[in-house]
Amino acid sequence: RDYFRLLADSLPEAVLALSGDGRQVSAANHAFLLLSGYARNEISKLDPAELFIGEAGERTLSRVLGAWEASEAVQRDVPMRTRQGDVLRVDVRGWSAGSPRGGLVLVLRPSDERKREADQRLVRDLHLSRLVDLSRQALDGTAWSPSEALALAREYLGASVAGLYRLSSSGPEYVLEGNVPAAFPASLPMDALESLHRPTLWNLGQRPESPLARAARGAGVGHLRTMPVGTTGAWIGIVIAGWDQAEDAPSDVDELMQVVTNLCHASLVLTAQRETITALERSMQQMEAELRGHSAAVGDGVLALDDKLQVREANARAAEILGYRPGELDGMPVQDVLVGPEDVRTTLLDALGHDRAAERSRLILHRRDGTPFPVQMRVRPLAAAARSRLLVVLHDQSQQEAIETQTEILAQRALLGEVSAIFAHEVRNPINNISTGVQFVASRLGREHPLHESLERVRKECLRLDQLMTDVLFFARPLELKMEPTDLADLMRRTLARWQPRLAQARIVSHTSFTECPHAMIDPRTFEQVVVNLITNAVQAMSNGGTLSVSLAPFDGASGRMVELRIADTGPGIPPEVIERIFDPFFTTKKDGTGLGLAISRRILAAHKGTVTAESFPDAGTVFTLRLPSAPERPNR
């Protein structure tokens, strides 16, 4: 028994030894005496039934007695009466010791301790789970705010106060975050926290050396701890935690404070990194938008190719030149985009392999619909670190080629005009002499002579050639216009009045519609030649009679306010294949026409800075539309 007592007293748990029948207490250790309040000499007189009371006590003793057959009996929340008469709930574990005549051993533990440990384990598991979540967020790159870290710190530490003074981004000071009493200042200067760049603690009753200790005393905090956030020489904040009493702080408060500080440090760093990344992303988006805007504003097509010669990006002009919709070129191989008689990949690979620029002029490519067109292709290699390795610039030379062709045609026509003028001047006098001689011979022979009809045909051909030479000379020489404000309505009335007898003879009815409009700026004598030419053509088109319509109206064009004159006939119309060439020099469908009338008319209108167009409708007639600049308005005096 003495040996059992010596061993049992060394255990922290309460131990009780019962007789084999469970009716008498054989021994108890010191922990049981403290738990029950009994003295050691009172134990032998104690009845287990008086110790473990009620149905639960009887059930416990019964289960312990049954421990002869089982290895161990366990019963929780068993009511035990102490010497003072209080009822204490204990957890009991019992098992047999030795032979059946030996005895029973009970180990007792207050049930509150078990529950408290279970609660502590639950809280610790929750904290660990929260830490796992936070660490997972850190690995995922998701930043949590300092307020979340402080809320966890307050819960984790069991503190009544938890806050963070973080370095301000707007000035040399620390600003407060967290739900703390108003006694703590909202901000502190840099030098006020120099003494806190190491872990500190303050208890009520000590002299408050720092401004945070003074704030804690004013807030009724009995125990305050601080820990710097950051690294030596680069402190970015200070964590504060306070309890009402020093005893309220957990036993492992130093380690927990370090965990909380690391969380706050990670929160600040991740928040700063997130803000930096957000700013960089915003800057990149702005730069990309600017680059897209610059690329869209470029008049040439731009293709960005990767090292596999696939299109990474293409501006709208490139898609338009090649016959695609915007976005369709992205990801396409260059050989499917730049299609032509020559393989452009040779030039591109040379530029990429030798890291040098390349250029091809008058390169023939085919649009998506197969239409060939000339381009100037410039290739520039980009830096190896860039996503795009080659920049291809396509300049459509179709317009330039058309201009060059037109320039050559105009030069040939100018030369032809000079030669025609010289020819007309040299031929005109002999033609006049021939015409005069034919008239003289015809007058001598008389109308009854058999050759009179042949001589008359020769004379008419001479007159036609003379008119042709006159038109050629007019078409070739520069126009000298005397511009003046002219009332076109009045000019047209006078012209139609002179033409009225001929119109009546041709069974043609004239119709006019003159809307009030400003005066036109024209040379009346030269412009009347255009009108006469158009009326002549209309009369010739209406060989069986018809209606000649003339209308005037104001017109607002791209070049300003203008006057529009329309001359329409009801003739058979002009075939579509012919109307496209009626303004070409020397083109005519008339047997005795020169082919210069409409060409001269268009030249005169061009000199007036005006335009002439023709519309024709089969079996309905033709409409010529003339547009002339209006005269500037005179200021009112």
Side-chain angles (χ1 to χ4, degrees):
R1 181 177 296 180
D2 293 337
Y3 183 67
F4 171 80
R5 185 188 306 163
L6 179 62
L7 290 177
D9 285 345
S10 64
L11 298 175
E13 295 92 350
V15 178
L16 186 65
L18 303 181
S19 61
D21 56 5
R23 296 180 179 180
Q24 183 178 1
V25 176
S26 301
N29 70 345
H30 182 69
F32 176 80
L33 299 177
L34 294 176
L35 179 65
S36 63
Y38 288 98
R40 195 178 295 275
N41 57 1
E42 297 175 327
I43 291 300
S44 59
K45 303 175 182 179
L46 189 63
D47 185 356
E50 296 177 359
L51 184 64
F52 302 104
I53 61 176
E55 293 182 3
E58 293 178 2
R59 186 168 55 251
T60 299
L61 292 174
S62 175
R63 292 194 61 182
V64 170
L65 289 173
W68 295 113
E69 292 80 14
S71 59
E72 181 181 270
V74 178
Q75 193 73 20
R76 292 181 176 179
D77 294 321
V78 177
M80 185 187 77
R81 179 181 287 119
T82 64
R83 188 175 186 279
Q84 292 78 14
D86 298 328
V87 177
L88 179 67
R89 295 283 179 173
V90 294
D91 294 342
V92 179
R93 287 185 298 138
W95 57 88
S96 61
S99 65
R101 292 187 298 273
L104 300 174
V105 178
L106 304 183
V107 177
L108 311 179
R109 183 187 183 191
S111 299
D112 290 343
E113 289 185 5
R114 172 180 54 81
K115 295 177 180 179
R116 184 165 55 251
E117 289 180 359
D119 292 341
Q120 290 175 352
R121 283 196 302 270
L122 179 60
V123 171
R124 186 61 55 92
D125 290 343
L126 291 175
H127 291 166
L128 290 175
S129 176
R130 180 61 173 149
L131 287 175
V132 170
D133 292 340
L134 291 176
S135 63
R136 186 179 296 112
Q137 291 179 19
L139 291 175
D140 294 341
T142 305
W144 62 89
S145 65
S147 59
E148 290 181 282
L150 290 173
L152 177 64
R154 188 168 182 174
E155 176 185 354
Y156 207 57
L157 296 170
S160 57
V161 174
L164 169 67
Y165 281 92
R166 60 181 296 181
L167 189 62
S168 173
S169 59
S170 59
E173 61 178 356
Y174 289 95
V175 294
L176 177 63
E177 285 195 23
N179 186 15
V180 298
F184 286 86
S187 63
L188 290 172
M190 297 283 288
D191 54 0
L193 300 182
E194 291 181 357
S195 61
L196 300 176
H197 287 165
R198 62 182 184 278
T200 66
L201 66 88
W202 172 85
N203 289 311
L204 186 63
Q206 295 178 344
R207 181 178 178 182
E209 298 290 346
S210 68
L212 294 181
R214 290 191 290 271
R217 184 177 64 178
V221 175
H223 182 70
L224 180 72
R225 286 179 177 265
T226 69
M227 185 166 286
V229 179
T231 58
T232 304
W235 305 113
I236 60 175
I238 295 173
V239 173
I240 61 172
W243 295 262
D244 295 338
Q245 299 177 5
E247 294 78 10
D248 296 337
S251 58
D252 53 353
V253 63
D254 292 331
E255 292 78 7
L256 294 179
M257 281 290 293
Q258 187 63 58
V259 172
V260 169
T261 301
N262 292 340
L263 287 176
C264 291
H265 189 189
S267 172
L268 293 176
V269 171
L270 290 176
T271 300
Q273 290 177 348
R274 182 174 58 181
E275 292 174 353
T276 302
I277 292 173
T278 302
L280 289 175
E281 289 177 347
R282 189 182 303 112
S283 178
M284 289 182 62
Q285 290 174 357
Q286 293 174 351
M287 292 178 62
E288 289 177 355
E290 290 179 3
L291 288 175
R292 284 194 295 268
H294 296 165
S295 178
V298 174
D300 294 335
V302 180
L303 300 175
L305 308 181
D306 59 16
D307 53 359
K308 297 180 181 178
L309 299 185
Q310 290 184 335
V311 179
R312 287 191 59 87
E313 293 183 27
N315 67 346
R317 178 57 179 161
E320 179 185 358
I321 290 176
L322 297 168
Y324 290 84
R325 290 192 295 270
E328 285 187 331
L329 293 175
D330 296 348
M332 292 183 62
V334 71
Q335 64 268 22
D336 295 342
V337 176
L338 304 182
V339 181
E342 301 181 48
D343 191 352
V344 298
R345 287 182 296 178
T346 304
T347 304
L348 299 177
L349 290 173
D350 180 72
L352 183 62
H354 295 87
D355 195 24
R356 63 186 180 188
E359 184 171 344
R360 296 282 302 276
S361 185
R362 300 290 181 180
L363 178 67
I364 301 299
L365 297 178
H366 292 277
R367 292 188 172 90
R368 191 180 192 178
D369 59 2
T371 306
F373 68 103
V375 297
Q376 179 187 25
M377 184 178 73
R378 300 190 300 274
V379 183
R380 296 292 184 273
L382 302 177
R387 292 184 301 174
S388 300
R389 295 301 314 281
L390 285 179
L391 196 67
V392 180
V393 180
L394 302 176
H395 176 67
D396 189 353
Q397 294 183 309
S398 302
Q399 186 176 6
Q400 180 181 351
E401 190 175 73
I403 292 174
E404 292 175 355
T405 303
Q406 186 66 22
T407 301
E408 184 178 355
I409 292 174
L410 292 176
Q412 293 175 356
R413 287 184 177 181
L415 179 61
L416 178 62
E418 293 179 5
V419 173
S420 299
I422 296 172
F423 176 79
H425 180 73
E426 294 297 330
V427 173
R428 193 175 188 185
N429 289 334
I431 290 177
N432 287 333
N433 292 336
I434 293 173
S435 177
T436 302
V438 169
Q439 290 183 37
F440 178 75
V441 172
S443 63
R444 287 296 184 93
L445 295 178
R447 292 182 176 274
E448 303 299 330
H449 195 278
L451 296 176
H452 183 271
E453 186 177 351
S454 298
L455 292 173
E456 185 64 18
R457 284 200 302 269
V458 171
R459 186 184 69 81
K460 289 183 179 180
E461 288 298 320
C462 289
L463 291 177
R464 191 177 71 83
L465 288 174
D466 181 67
Q467 182 61 42
L468 176 62
M469 296 302 104
T470 300
D471 291 343
V472 168
L473 287 173
F474 183 85
F475 189 77
R477 70 171 182 261
L479 291 176
E480 296 181 1
L481 304 178
K482 295 181 180 180
M483 309 293 284
E484 61 183 60
T486 304
D487 185 356
L488 283 185
D490 181 64
L491 185 147
M492 293 306 299
R493 289 190 186 98
R494 290 187 279 107
T495 302
L496 290 173
R498 292 196 302 271
W499 273 81
Q500 195 59 42
R502 185 175 174 181
L503 296 177
Q505 185 180 2
R507 302 190 306 280
I508 296 174
V509 178
S510 63
H511 174 75
T512 60
S513 175
F514 297 156
T515 304
E516 184 178 354
C517 54
H519 289 189
M521 200 68 181
I522 62 172
D523 178 352
R525 182 182 60 84
T526 307
F527 181 74
E528 187 174 353
Q529 182 178 347
V530 175
V531 174
V532 169
N533 184 35
L534 294 178
I535 293 177
T536 300
N537 290 343
V539 171
Q540 292 175 354
M542 295 183 288
S543 57
N544 297 322
T547 302
L548 177 67
S549 301
V550 180
S551 64
L552 273 173
F555 178 80
D556 292 326
S559 57
R561 191 167 176 78
M562 307 184 79
V563 180
E564 183 178 85
L565 171 63
R566 288 175 176 263
I567 299 176
D569 63 62
T570 56
I574 304 174
E577 65 274 9
V578 174
I579 197 170
E580 296 180 356
R581 301 185 58 194
I582 59 176
F583 293 104
D584 293 345
F586 304 107
F587 176 79
T588 181
T589 57
K590 301 175 185 177
K591 182 179 179 180
D592 56 350
T594 63
L596 288 174
L598 289 178
I600 292 173
S601 298
R602 186 172 67 173
R603 183 166 178 260
I604 292 174
L605 285 169
H608 282 78
K609 298 182 180 178
T611 61
V612 57
T613 57
E615 294 179 277
S616 189
F617 309 93
D619 300 325
T622 303
V623 180
F624 283 88
T625 303
L626 289 68
R627 289 171 181 165
L628 297 159
S630 62
E633 296 182 1
R634 296 180 179 179
N636 295 328
R637 297 184 178 179

